[in-house]
């Protein structure tokens, strides 16, 4: 049996998300994956081979105290923002930034079950912004299309050397937005859940 996303019971409008109602939504609505991550300037997922074992890589000890909140848009404009804490108030701020970049139509967010996503404040503000959460089943990050994007972003961080936090933040922003133009991160998701869609962008 094919697995399907099912909206959380805490999201009032989710009960109306049948395939028929989805087809009736405005064509200018947007959808995508929503998630948080904490990439750091010292992330290192690459390995180097050396015959004499004398190769060393030195990086300045630069830390970035802000968490990244990303919206990987399958349709619409992707967004990345940075917050000191991941609480319901900052999640609401991120939703407002997503709406600002995508001012027309309904927004559908595929997200995990992080507590601040389910918070009453978050859901009430989402309703006001015409943003709807669709929650993936617990412990199933592979069903969130943004996860491979975060992985590739961290891989691109690995060989870079950053002078300071501002340099790192600018690199994160540019890299996330560039990578988000690729639908390949969501190819399996699209094939599973949107098999009838030939072209999203």
């Amino acid at each position: 049996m094919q697995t399907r996303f099912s909206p959380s019971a805490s999201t009032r409008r989710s009960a109306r998300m049948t395939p028929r109602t989805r087809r009736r939504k405005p064509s200018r609505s947007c959808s995508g994956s929503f998630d948080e991550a904490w990439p750091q300037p010292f992330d290192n997922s690459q390995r180097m081979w050396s015959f004499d074992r004398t190769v060393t890589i030195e990086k300045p000890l630069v830390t970035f105290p802000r968490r990244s909140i990303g919206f990987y848009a399958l349709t619409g404009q992707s967004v990345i923002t940075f917050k000191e804490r991941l609480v319901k108030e900052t999640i609401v701020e991120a939703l407002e930034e997503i709406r600002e970049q995508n001012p027309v139509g309904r927004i559908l967010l595929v997200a995990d079950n992080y507590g601040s996503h389910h918070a009453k404040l978050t859901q009430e503000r989402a309703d006001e912004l015409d943003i709807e959460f669709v929650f993936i089943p617990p412990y199933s990050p592979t069903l969130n299309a943004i996860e491979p994007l975060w992985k590739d972003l961290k891989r691109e961080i690995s060989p870079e050397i950053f002078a300071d936090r501002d340099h790192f933040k600018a690199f994160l922003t540019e890299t996330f937005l560039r990578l988000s133009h690729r639908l390949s991160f969501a190819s399996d998701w699209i094939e599973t859940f949107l098999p009838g869609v030939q072209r999203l962008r």
Side-chain angles (χ1 to χ4, degrees):
M1 178 179 291
Q2 194 177 54
T3 304
R4 293 185 179 275
F5 282 107
S6 58
S8 168
S10 65
T11 306
R12 294 189 298 274
R13 293 179 299 165
S14 296
R16 302 198 299 270
M17 284 297 295
T18 64
R20 179 174 297 178
T21 57
R22 279 200 295 267
R23 287 196 294 270
R24 292 175 180 172
K25 293 299 179 179
S27 60
R28 296 194 66 182
S29 62
C30 70
S31 61
S33 295
F34 181 77
D35 192 31
E36 301 83 19
W38 196 10
Q40 287 292 318
F42 44 78
D43 278 333
N44 187 2
S45 58
Q46 295 186 345
R47 296 184 179 183
M48 299 184 63
W49 290 93
S50 172
F51 290 105
D52 60 7
R53 298 177 180 272
T54 60
V55 173
T56 60
I57 300 177
E58 295 184 2
K59 289 187 175 184
L61 184 58
V62 176
T63 60
F64 190 64
R66 293 177 176 266
R67 274 66 168 175
S68 302
I69 303 177
F71 172 57
Y72 170 40
L74 302 183
T75 55
Q77 177 64 47
S78 295
V79 175
I80 185 169
T81 186
F82 308 99
K83 306 296 179 185
E84 291 185 3
R85 298 185 302 155
L86 295 180
V87 294
K88 57 183 180 294
E89 290 82 6
T90 55
I91 298 299
V92 165
E93 291 173 2
L95 297 182
E96 292 170 345
E97 293 179 48
I98 292 170
R99 171 50 76 190
E100 182 179 350
Q101 294 300 315
N102 297 275
V104 178
R106 171 176 160 275
I107 300 176
L108 181 69
L109 297 185
V110 177
D112 61 26
N113 289 275
Y114 183 58
S116 293
H117 298 166
H118 286 278
K120 182 178 179 181
L121 175 66
T122 303
Q123 290 298 317
E124 288 179 346
R125 187 60 178 140
D127 283 343
E128 294 169 356
L129 296 170
D130 198 16
I131 295 176
E132 182 167 356
F133 281 85
V134 174
F135 295 107
I136 62 176
Y139 310 110
S140 53
T142 56
L143 296 181
N144 198 337
I146 198 175
E147 293 290 351
L149 190 157
W150 287 131
K151 183 176 181 181
D152 265 30
L153 184 147
K154 291 179 179 180
R155 184 179 294 115
E156 294 206 15
I157 290 172
S158 180
E160 299 293 327
I161 296 177
F162 303 97
D164 51 38
R165 294 174 179 176
D166 289 339
H167 180 201
F168 180 67
K169 181 180 179 180
F171 180 89
L172 275 184
T173 302
E174 187 278 328
T175 304
F176 181 90
L177 295 178
R178 172 171 53 81
L179 291 174
S180 70
H181 286 292
R182 293 163 41 185
L183 283 178
S184 57
F185 297 114
S187 58
D188 290 342
W189 190 94
I190 293 169
E191 182 179 351
T192 301
F193 300 105
L194 300 173
V197 175
Q198 300 298 318
R199 183 178 180 86
L200 288 172
R201 293 175 177 167

